Amino acid sequence: LGQGAKLARDLGWRTALTDFQKLGSSQLGSEDAFYRLLAATLARQFKFQYDFAAEWLEVFGSNLNMDNFIRALAESSETPLVWFMDEADKLFGVPFASDFFGLVRSWHNSRATEPGGVWDRVTVVIAYATEAHLFIQDLNQSPFNVGRQLALKGFTFDHLRDLNQRYGSPITADQADTLYALIKGQPFLTRRALDVLARKSMTFDELVQTADRDDGPFGDHLKRILISASQLPEVVEALRTSISAPTRTETEGIHRLVAGGVVVQQSDGTFAFCCDIYRRYLAAHLPVGQVAVSTD
Protein backbone atom coordinates (compact mmCIF):
# COMPACT_ATOMS: atom_id res chain seq x y z
CA LEU A 1 0.00 0.00 0.00
CA GLY A 2 2.92 2.33 0.59
CA GLN A 3 3.80 2.69 -3.08
CA GLY A 4 0.15 3.18 -3.99
CA ALA A 5 -0.23 5.93 -1.41
CA LYS A 6 2.91 7.66 -2.68
CA LEU A 7 1.62 7.52 -6.25
CA ALA A 8 -1.73 9.00 -5.21
CA ARG A 9 -0.01 11.81 -3.31
CA ASP A 10 2.28 12.49 -6.29
CA LEU A 11 -0.89 12.91 -8.39
CA GLY A 12 -2.14 15.44 -5.88
CA TRP A 13 -4.99 13.24 -4.64
CA ARG A 14 -6.22 13.18 -1.07
CA THR A 15 -5.24 10.00 0.78
CA ALA A 16 -6.05 8.30 4.07
CA LEU A 17 -5.03 4.97 5.60
CA THR A 18 -6.98 2.74 7.97
CA ASP A 19 -5.02 -0.16 9.46
CA PHE A 20 -7.67 -2.49 10.88
CA GLN A 21 -4.99 -4.49 12.69
CA LYS A 22 -4.73 -1.58 15.13
CA LEU A 23 -8.35 -1.85 16.22
CA GLY A 24 -9.06 -3.58 19.50
CA SER A 25 -11.90 -5.97 20.27
CA SER A 26 -13.89 -3.25 22.05
CA GLN A 27 -13.80 -1.09 18.92
CA LEU A 28 -15.11 -4.01 16.86
CA GLY A 29 -17.83 -4.95 19.34
CA SER A 30 -20.36 -2.30 18.32
CA GLU A 31 -21.42 -1.58 14.75
CA ASP A 32 -22.25 2.08 15.33
CA ALA A 33 -19.08 2.67 17.37
CA PHE A 34 -17.04 1.07 14.57
CA TYR A 35 -18.52 3.28 11.87
CA ARG A 36 -18.21 6.39 14.02
CA LEU A 37 -14.56 5.57 14.64
CA LEU A 38 -13.90 5.13 10.92
CA ALA A 39 -15.62 8.40 10.08
CA ALA A 40 -13.84 10.29 12.86
CA THR A 41 -10.39 9.03 11.83
CA LEU A 42 -11.07 9.84 8.18
CA ALA A 43 -12.29 13.31 9.11
CA ARG A 44 -9.07 13.87 11.05
CA GLN A 45 -6.81 12.59 8.26
CA PHE A 46 -8.58 14.61 5.59
CA LYS A 47 -8.93 17.64 7.91
CA PHE A 48 -12.64 17.55 7.13
CA GLN A 49 -15.10 19.32 9.43
CA TYR A 50 -18.27 17.25 9.84
CA ASP A 51 -21.18 18.01 12.15
CA PHE A 52 -21.66 14.56 13.65
CA ALA A 53 -24.29 15.79 16.12
CA ALA A 54 -26.52 17.11 13.34
CA GLU A 55 -25.75 14.66 10.54
CA TRP A 56 -25.08 11.29 12.20
CA LEU A 57 -28.66 10.36 13.10
CA GLU A 58 -29.83 7.13 14.69
CA VAL A 59 -32.80 6.87 12.34
CA PHE A 60 -30.47 6.29 9.36
CA GLY A 61 -28.56 3.40 10.90
CA SER A 62 -24.82 2.80 10.69
CA ASN A 63 -24.53 2.03 6.96
CA LEU A 64 -26.48 5.04 5.73
CA ASN A 65 -24.74 7.34 8.19
CA MET A 66 -21.36 6.16 6.88
CA ASP A 67 -22.56 6.44 3.31
CA ASN A 68 -23.71 10.03 3.92
CA PHE A 69 -20.37 10.84 5.53
CA ILE A 70 -18.30 9.52 2.62
CA ARG A 71 -20.52 11.36 0.14
CA ALA A 72 -20.08 14.61 2.06
CA LEU A 73 -16.33 14.02 2.28
CA ALA A 74 -16.11 13.48 -1.49
CA GLU A 75 -18.28 16.52 -2.20
CA SER A 76 -16.06 18.72 -0.03
CA SER A 77 -13.43 18.94 -2.78
CA GLU A 78 -13.07 18.31 -6.49
CA THR A 79 -9.81 16.51 -5.74
CA PRO A 80 -10.15 12.71 -5.89
CA LEU A 81 -9.69 10.84 -2.64
CA VAL A 82 -8.20 7.41 -2.03
CA TRP A 83 -8.97 5.42 1.11
CA PHE A 84 -6.40 2.69 1.75
CA MET A 85 -7.62 -0.17 3.97
CA ASP A 86 -4.90 -2.43 5.34
CA GLU A 87 -5.38 -5.80 7.11
CA ALA A 88 -9.06 -5.80 6.13
CA ASP A 89 -9.27 -9.50 6.99
CA LYS A 90 -9.25 -8.44 10.68
CA LEU A 91 -12.95 -7.66 10.11
CA PHE A 92 -13.93 -11.06 8.72
CA GLY A 93 -15.09 -12.39 12.05
CA VAL A 94 -17.20 -9.43 13.25
CA PRO A 95 -21.01 -9.75 12.94
CA PHE A 96 -21.47 -6.66 10.77
CA ALA A 97 -18.61 -7.37 8.38
CA SER A 98 -20.86 -8.38 5.46
CA ASP A 99 -22.83 -5.15 5.80
CA PHE A 100 -19.65 -3.09 5.83
CA PHE A 101 -18.09 -4.78 2.82
CA GLY A 102 -21.44 -4.59 1.03
CA LEU A 103 -21.40 -0.82 1.63
CA VAL A 104 -17.92 -0.57 0.14
CA ARG A 105 -19.14 -2.58 -2.86
CA SER A 106 -22.05 -0.13 -3.27
CA TRP A 107 -19.65 2.80 -3.71
CA HIS A 108 -18.07 1.00 -6.63
CA ASN A 109 -21.49 0.23 -8.13
CA SER A 110 -22.55 3.86 -7.73
CA ARG A 111 -19.96 4.85 -10.31
CA ALA A 112 -22.14 3.11 -12.89
CA THR A 113 -25.49 4.32 -11.56
CA GLU A 114 -24.30 7.92 -11.12
CA PRO A 115 -21.90 8.47 -14.06
CA GLY A 116 -19.89 11.64 -13.69
CA GLY A 117 -21.10 11.94 -10.11
CA VAL A 118 -19.34 12.31 -6.80
CA TRP A 119 -18.45 8.60 -6.56
CA ASP A 120 -16.07 8.95 -9.49
CA ARG A 121 -13.83 10.82 -7.05
CA VAL A 122 -13.79 8.00 -4.49
CA THR A 123 -11.32 5.10 -4.73
CA VAL A 124 -10.97 2.40 -2.10
CA VAL A 125 -7.85 0.20 -2.04
CA ILE A 126 -8.20 -2.90 0.14
CA ALA A 127 -5.34 -5.15 1.27
CA TYR A 128 -6.65 -8.47 2.53
CA ALA A 129 -5.87 -12.15 2.91
CA THR A 130 -7.11 -14.40 0.13
CA GLU A 131 -9.56 -16.20 2.39
CA ALA A 132 -11.94 -13.24 1.96
CA HIS A 133 -13.60 -15.36 -0.72
CA LEU A 134 -14.45 -17.95 1.91
CA PHE A 135 -15.83 -15.41 4.36
CA ILE A 136 -18.26 -13.45 2.15
CA GLN A 137 -21.63 -15.22 2.09
CA ASP A 138 -23.07 -13.33 -0.92
CA LEU A 139 -20.44 -12.71 -3.59
CA ASN A 140 -22.74 -10.13 -5.18
CA GLN A 141 -22.16 -8.01 -2.07
CA SER A 142 -18.41 -8.51 -2.07
CA PRO A 143 -15.96 -5.69 -2.86
CA PHE A 144 -13.26 -8.31 -3.45
CA ASN A 145 -14.38 -9.38 -6.92
CA VAL A 146 -14.84 -5.98 -8.54
CA GLY A 147 -12.42 -3.31 -9.66
CA ARG A 148 -8.80 -4.09 -10.34
CA GLN A 149 -7.34 -7.01 -8.41
CA LEU A 150 -3.63 -7.45 -7.77
CA ALA A 151 -2.93 -10.96 -6.51
CA LEU A 152 0.22 -11.80 -4.58
CA LYS A 153 1.58 -15.02 -6.03
CA GLY A 154 3.22 -17.66 -3.91
CA PHE A 155 6.94 -17.35 -3.33
CA THR A 156 9.35 -19.57 -5.21
CA PHE A 157 12.13 -21.41 -3.41
CA ASP A 158 14.53 -18.68 -4.60
CA HIS A 159 12.25 -16.07 -3.05
CA LEU A 160 12.34 -17.99 0.23
CA ARG A 161 16.13 -18.05 0.20
CA ASP A 162 16.25 -14.33 -0.54
CA LEU A 163 13.78 -13.54 2.24
CA ASN A 164 15.75 -15.73 4.62
CA GLN A 165 18.84 -13.60 3.97
CA ARG A 166 16.84 -10.42 4.50
CA TYR A 167 15.71 -11.77 7.88
CA GLY A 168 19.31 -12.45 8.89
CA SER A 169 19.35 -16.13 7.81
CA PRO A 170 17.42 -17.70 10.71
CA ILE A 171 17.22 -21.02 8.80
CA THR A 172 19.87 -23.19 7.15
CA ALA A 173 19.78 -24.48 3.58
CA ASP A 174 18.44 -27.86 4.71
CA GLN A 175 15.80 -26.18 6.87
CA ALA A 176 14.76 -24.06 3.90
CA ASP A 177 14.03 -27.26 1.97
CA THR A 178 11.90 -28.57 4.85
CA LEU A 179 10.04 -25.29 5.30
CA TYR A 180 9.29 -24.94 1.60
CA ALA A 181 7.96 -28.50 1.44
CA LEU A 182 5.67 -27.62 4.34
CA ILE A 183 4.25 -24.26 3.22
CA LYS A 184 5.02 -24.18 -0.54
CA GLY A 185 5.81 -20.46 -0.54
CA GLN A 186 2.42 -19.33 0.80
CA PRO A 187 3.23 -15.63 1.42
CA PHE A 188 1.68 -15.18 4.86
CA LEU A 189 2.99 -18.48 6.20
CA THR A 190 6.45 -17.72 4.83
CA ARG A 191 6.62 -14.29 6.43
CA ARG A 192 5.20 -15.59 9.69
CA ALA A 193 7.67 -18.47 9.88
CA LEU A 194 10.71 -16.31 9.19
CA ASP A 195 9.52 -13.65 11.61
CA VAL A 196 9.01 -16.17 14.43
CA LEU A 197 12.41 -17.77 13.82
CA ALA A 198 14.25 -14.47 13.45
CA ARG A 199 12.84 -13.30 16.79
CA LYS A 200 13.82 -16.66 18.31
CA SER A 201 10.28 -17.17 19.62
CA MET A 202 10.79 -20.87 18.95
CA THR A 203 13.30 -23.19 17.38
CA PHE A 204 12.92 -24.54 13.86
CA ASP A 205 12.07 -28.00 15.17
CA GLU A 206 9.38 -26.53 17.43
CA LEU A 207 7.90 -24.61 14.50
CA VAL A 208 7.68 -27.74 12.36
CA GLN A 209 6.22 -29.84 15.17
CA THR A 210 3.48 -27.30 16.03
CA ALA A 211 2.85 -25.98 12.51
CA ASP A 212 -0.59 -27.59 12.17
CA ARG A 213 -1.73 -26.96 15.74
CA ASP A 214 -4.02 -24.26 17.09
CA ASP A 215 -1.30 -23.15 19.50
CA GLY A 216 1.35 -23.16 16.79
CA PRO A 217 2.81 -20.20 14.87
CA PHE A 218 0.08 -20.35 12.21
CA GLY A 219 -2.84 -21.16 14.54
CA ASP A 220 -4.86 -17.96 14.13
CA HIS A 221 -4.55 -18.07 10.35
CA LEU A 222 -5.57 -21.72 10.14
CA LYS A 223 -8.51 -21.30 12.53
CA ARG A 224 -9.83 -18.41 10.46
CA ILE A 225 -9.79 -20.56 7.32
CA LEU A 226 -11.51 -23.42 9.17
CA ILE A 227 -14.26 -21.19 10.57
CA SER A 228 -14.88 -19.55 7.20
CA ALA A 229 -14.97 -22.85 5.31
CA SER A 230 -17.24 -24.52 7.87
CA GLN A 231 -19.89 -21.80 7.55
CA LEU A 232 -20.35 -22.27 3.81
CA PRO A 233 -22.09 -25.56 2.88
CA GLU A 234 -20.85 -25.48 -0.71
CA VAL A 235 -17.26 -25.18 0.51
CA VAL A 236 -17.67 -28.02 3.01
CA GLU A 237 -19.16 -30.14 0.24
CA ALA A 238 -16.28 -29.29 -2.07
CA LEU A 239 -13.80 -30.33 0.59
CA ARG A 240 -15.69 -33.57 1.25
CA THR A 241 -16.29 -34.72 -2.31
CA SER A 242 -14.26 -32.84 -4.88
CA ILE A 243 -11.01 -32.55 -2.99
CA SER A 244 -10.95 -35.89 -1.23
CA ALA A 245 -11.66 -37.43 -4.61
CA PRO A 246 -9.99 -35.01 -7.05
CA THR A 247 -12.31 -33.79 -9.78
CA ARG A 248 -12.12 -31.47 -12.74
CA THR A 249 -15.64 -30.12 -12.13
CA GLU A 250 -15.47 -26.49 -11.04
CA THR A 251 -18.27 -26.02 -8.52
CA GLU A 252 -19.10 -22.90 -6.51
CA GLY A 253 -17.27 -24.41 -3.56
CA ILE A 254 -14.17 -25.14 -5.62
CA HIS A 255 -14.24 -21.62 -7.04
CA ARG A 256 -14.26 -20.18 -3.51
CA LEU A 257 -11.45 -22.47 -2.38
CA VAL A 258 -9.28 -21.53 -5.35
CA ALA A 259 -10.06 -17.81 -4.96
CA GLY A 260 -9.43 -18.18 -1.24
CA GLY A 261 -5.95 -19.56 -1.85
CA VAL A 262 -6.67 -22.83 -0.06
CA VAL A 263 -6.48 -25.11 -3.09
CA VAL A 264 -4.90 -24.81 -6.52
CA GLN A 265 -5.77 -26.30 -9.87
CA GLN A 266 -2.99 -28.55 -11.08
CA SER A 267 -1.78 -29.06 -14.62
CA ASP A 268 -3.97 -32.15 -15.05
CA GLY A 269 -7.09 -30.20 -14.08
CA THR A 270 -7.46 -31.68 -10.59
CA PHE A 271 -7.45 -29.71 -7.36
CA ALA A 272 -5.20 -30.07 -4.31
CA PHE A 273 -4.34 -28.08 -1.20
CA CYS A 274 -1.80 -25.38 -1.94
CA CYS A 275 0.40 -26.50 0.93
CA ASP A 276 0.75 -29.43 3.30
CA ILE A 277 -0.13 -27.35 6.38
CA TYR A 278 -3.62 -26.66 5.04
CA ARG A 279 -4.10 -30.34 4.21
CA ARG A 280 -3.03 -31.53 7.64
CA TYR A 281 -4.95 -28.94 9.62
CA LEU A 282 -8.23 -29.17 7.71
CA ALA A 283 -8.09 -32.96 7.60
CA ALA A 284 -7.85 -33.00 11.38
CA HIS A 285 -10.39 -30.27 12.15
CA LEU A 286 -13.11 -30.20 9.50
CA PRO A 287 -16.48 -31.34 10.87
CA VAL A 288 -17.06 -33.36 7.70
CA GLY A 289 -14.58 -36.03 8.68
CA GLN A 290 -11.15 -36.81 7.42
CA VAL A 291 -9.99 -35.19 4.19
CA ALA A 292 -7.00 -36.87 2.64
CA VAL A 293 -5.55 -35.02 -0.31
CA SER A 294 -2.13 -35.19 -1.83
CA THR A 295 -0.29 -31.93 -2.43
CA ASP A 296 1.89 -33.52 -5.08
Side-chain angles (χ1 to χ4, degrees), residues 214-234:
D214 287 333
D215 60 349
F218 313 123
D220 289 343
H221 174 76
L222 296 171
K223 283 185 285 187
R224 189 168 61 201
I225 292 177
L226 174 65
I227 292 171
S228 299
S230 299
Q231 292 176 347
L232 294 167
E234 64 271 28

Side-chain angles (χ1 to χ4, degrees), residues 46-189:
F46 285 116
K47 297 180 172 56
F48 174 57
Q49 297 297 320
Y50 191 71
D51 190 347
F52 283 93
E55 300 294 338
W56 197 281
L57 303 178
E58 183 178 355
V59 66
F60 291 134
S62 302
N63 267 38
L64 283 179
N65 275 320
M66 189 67 187
D67 186 71
N68 291 335
F69 170 82
I70 295 295
R71 178 182 285 273
L73 176 61
E75 289 176 339
S76 68
S77 173
E78 293 293 323
T79 304
L81 67 88
V82 186
W83 182 8
F84 293 90
M85 299 181 184
D86 198 12
E87 301 284 353
D89 40 298
K90 177 69 180 293
L91 303 181
F92 291 170
V94 302
F96 50 83
S98 292
D99 289 339
F100 172 70
F101 288 124
L103 177 62
V104 176
R105 166 71 174 253
S106 76
W107 299 334
H108 173 83
N109 294 343
S110 293
R111 291 187 171 198
T113 58
E114 301 178 37
V118 65
W119 297 108
D120 284 349
R121 300 201 292 272
V122 178
T123 299
V124 178
V125 180
I126 308 175
Y128 62 95
T130 52
E131 62 263 26
H133 297 276
L134 298 179
F135 163 76
I136 296 294
Q137 297 281 339
D138 184 357
L139 293 179
N140 292 322
Q141 296 296 316
S142 172
F144 304 115
N145 56 2
V146 295
R148 179 173 298 179
Q149 301 179 41
L150 301 176
L152 178 61
K153 296 181 179 180
F155 295 135
T156 65
F157 184 71
D158 286 340
H159 290 148
L160 172 60
R161 290 193 299 183
D162 178 66
L163 286 170
N164 182 45
Q165 292 179 351
R166 293 171 184 267
Y167 270 89
S169 299
I171 57 177
T172 66
D174 288 343
Q175 289 172 339
D177 289 332
T178 301
L179 183 63
Y180 193 76
L182 193 65
I183 61 179
K184 290 295 184 185
Q186 204 279 351
F188 172 81
L189 299 180

